[in-house]
């Protein structure tokens, strides 16, 4: 057995969801909406199951889906991309795995940004890569280019860059992105861009794909996810966009990971990606309202929350909320004593380290669920402050 896996814990997302299932807690941990998803996409998938082929589709994806992905990114992000520069994968995590397997040779260094989405590090290691971590600092989570430059060496081959970033809820600005692009070009790095949250942006922000920066299309593997775009996280339909020189090897990795992805869901995604702009704007507006609802309830109840520029998440600052203790312990108490599951941010730092005073909450939930969760957390906080008050 490989020691990486024998010593590996269950992911924090599965751990907290399992605890929520076992205790009946409200699950604001793992990021998934509690809505059924868009009815027209569900119907399109159901129709495709009944009326179309249920056999292997082409390994690269259904032609209609590849075309729909290319057209979607032309329309929404102005990208110069064609259908034959698109690969359909079984979720973005598979896309990231295939990209790393294709790009990394043993001993190559890969830059990760901390806090990191938890799959990156084990995937880099298993691909034979050597992770080099650049740590972002709360509460601004700005990308300090000097830190990135300091992490680059002669063996550095790639960056894995998540924008908008989970769990920090940060959408990087044009200045930060331009500097990162210039660094990739100067050091001839491949950019594996996990942009699954690209449509989940708030306060009129627009997504800026690194792929679109001058000189970056040739070196970028842009990864997206229908699960996040359509609030259907269980569908596990991802995409990789890249020029043929990069996409070819990723497709070779994909053919021996999952080979292909369910055709019926691909057909429904092709339909969904072509929906008018207003459908995507409505989704954003709805999530922004949910963000504001949870944030304002928590703040009114004495919690301090960090800004959320995008994603399904916001972070609570425990110390600034008057709650002492470490995030993992607080999350355990919240599940068992308050009935709310959350994600401790320290779980998303490679070698321990990182702040232990931040907890991530998912607000992609109905109003009633958000209100009840906020009420429980506020009551828990008040009880804790009362118990710890000087006599
Ligand atoms: N992306 C989800 C999150 O951040 C987790 C997905 C998973 O558990 N694989 O919560």
């Amino acid at each position: 057995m490989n020691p990486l896996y024998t010593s590996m814990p269950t992911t924090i997302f599965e751990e907290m969801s399992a605890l929520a299932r076992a205790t009946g807690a409200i699950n604001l941990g793992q990021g998934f909406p509690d809505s059924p998803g868009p009815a027209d996409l569900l119907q399109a998938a159901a129709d495709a199951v009944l009326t179309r082929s249920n056999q292997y589709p082409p390994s690269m994806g259904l032609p209609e889906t590849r075309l729909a992905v290319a057209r979607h990114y032309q329309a929404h992000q102005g990208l110069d991309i064609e259908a034959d520069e698109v690969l359909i994968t079984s979720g973005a995590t598979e896309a990231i795995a295939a990209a790393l397997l294709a790009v990394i040779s043993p001993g190559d260094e890969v830059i990760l940004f901390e806090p990191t989405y938890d799959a990156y590090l084990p995937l880099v290691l298993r691909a034979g890569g050597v992770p080099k971590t650049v740590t972002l600092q709360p509460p601004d989570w700005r990308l300090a280019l000097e830190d990135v430059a300091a992490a680059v060496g002669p063996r550095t081959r790639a960056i894995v860059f998540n924008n908008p970033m989970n769990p920090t809820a940060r959408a990087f600005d044009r200045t930060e992105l331009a500097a990162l692009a210039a660094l990739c070009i100067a050091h001839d790095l491949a950019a594996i861009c996990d942009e699954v949250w690209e449509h989940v942006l708030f306060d009129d922000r627009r997504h800026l794909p690194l792929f679109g920066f001058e000189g970056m299309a040739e070196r970028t593997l842009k990864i997206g996810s229908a699960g996040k775009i359509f609030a259907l996280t269980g569908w596990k339909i991802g995409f990789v966009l890249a020029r043929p020189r990069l996409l070819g090897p990723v497709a070779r990795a994909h053919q021996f990971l999952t080979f292909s992805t369910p055709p019926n869901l691909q057909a429904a995604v092709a339909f969904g990606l072509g929906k008018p702009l207003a459908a995507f704007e409505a989704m954003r507006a709805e999530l922004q309202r949910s963000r504001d609802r949870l944030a304002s309830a928590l703040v009114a109840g004495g919690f301090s929350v960090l800004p959320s520029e995008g994603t399904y998440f916001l972070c609570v600052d425990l110390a600034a909320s008057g709650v002492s203790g470490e995030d993992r312990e607080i999350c355990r108490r919240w599940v068992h004593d308050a009935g709310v599951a959350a994600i401790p941010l320290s779980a998303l730092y490679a070698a321990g380290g990182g702040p232990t005073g931040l907890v991530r909450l998912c607000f992609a939930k109905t109003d009633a669920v958000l209100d009840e969760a906020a009420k429980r957390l506020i009551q828990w906080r008040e009880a804790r402050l009362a118990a710890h008050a000087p006599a």
Side-chain angles (χ1 to χ4, degrees), residues 65-82 85-88 92 193-199 206-209 211-212 222-230 237-242 269 273-274 280:
T65 311
R66 300 175 72 198
L67 183 61
V69 170
R71 289 202 171 137
H72 182 84
Y73 286 104
Q74 289 161 7
H76 287 258
Q77 296 175 12
L79 294 185
D80 162 26
I81 194 85
E82 301 299 330
E85 298 172 314
V86 175
L87 167 71
I88 310 298
C193 291
D194 173 353
E195 299 186 351
V196 300
W197 301 105
E198 60 201 345
H199 273 296
R206 286 190 62 77
H207 181 63
L208 298 170
F211 191 102
K222 173 177 163 58
I223 293 168
S225 162
K228 304 298 194 287
I229 297 177
F230 300 112
I237 308 277
F239 345 111
V240 185
L241 282 66
V269 166
L273 288 170
F280 300 91

Side-chain angles (χ1 to χ4, degrees), residues 6-90:
T6 52
S7 62
M8 185 185 285
T10 303
T11 82
I12 190 68
F13 305 116
E14 179 63 19
E15 181 188 333
M16 296 311 297
S17 283
L19 265 178
R21 285 191 289 266
T23 59
I26 295 176
N27 191 354
L28 303 190
Q30 192 176 36
F32 62 90
D34 62 358
S35 60
D40 51 357
L41 263 84
L42 301 182
Q43 190 62 54
D47 291 346
V49 166
L50 293 174
T51 62
R52 296 182 45 167
S53 170
N54 286 281
Q55 308 307 334
Y56 301 126
S59 179
M60 295 292 295
L62 287 185
E64 73 197 71
T65 311
R66 300 175 72 198
L67 183 61
V69 170
R71 289 202 171 137
H72 182 84
Y73 286 104
Q74 289 161 7
H76 287 258
Q77 296 175 12
L79 294 185
D80 162 26
I81 194 85
E82 301 299 330
D84 64 0
E85 298 172 314
V86 175
L87 167 71
I88 310 298
T89 59
S90 294

Side-chain angles (χ1 to χ4, degrees), residues 232-314:
L232 294 163
T233 60
W235 277 22
K236 303 293 292 180
I237 308 277
F239 345 111
V240 185
L241 282 66
R243 294 289 181 249
R245 181 184 67 84
L246 285 180
L247 193 65
V250 179
R252 298 299 94 74
H254 158 76
Q255 72 185 348
F256 295 133
L257 285 170
T258 58
F259 179 71
S260 66
T261 296
N264 335 88
L265 299 181
Q266 287 196 52
V269 166
F271 158 74
L273 288 170
K275 282 166 74 163
L277 193 63
F280 300 91
E281 280 168 355
M283 180 271 293
R284 262 195 287 282
E286 182 64 28
L287 281 165
Q288 180 169 323
R289 216 181 50 74
S290 298
R291 174 199 66 173
D292 293 345
R293 191 176 184 100
L294 180 63
S296 56
L298 289 173
V299 168
F303 281 100
S304 174
V305 304
L306 268 51
S308 168
E309 299 173 346
T311 76
Y312 290 162
F313 311 114
L314 60 79

Side-chain angles (χ1 to χ4, degrees), residues 93-109:
T93 304
E94 194 229 341
I96 293 160
L100 285 167
L101 290 173
V103 168
I104 301 308
S105 298
D108 284 348
E109 293 175 0

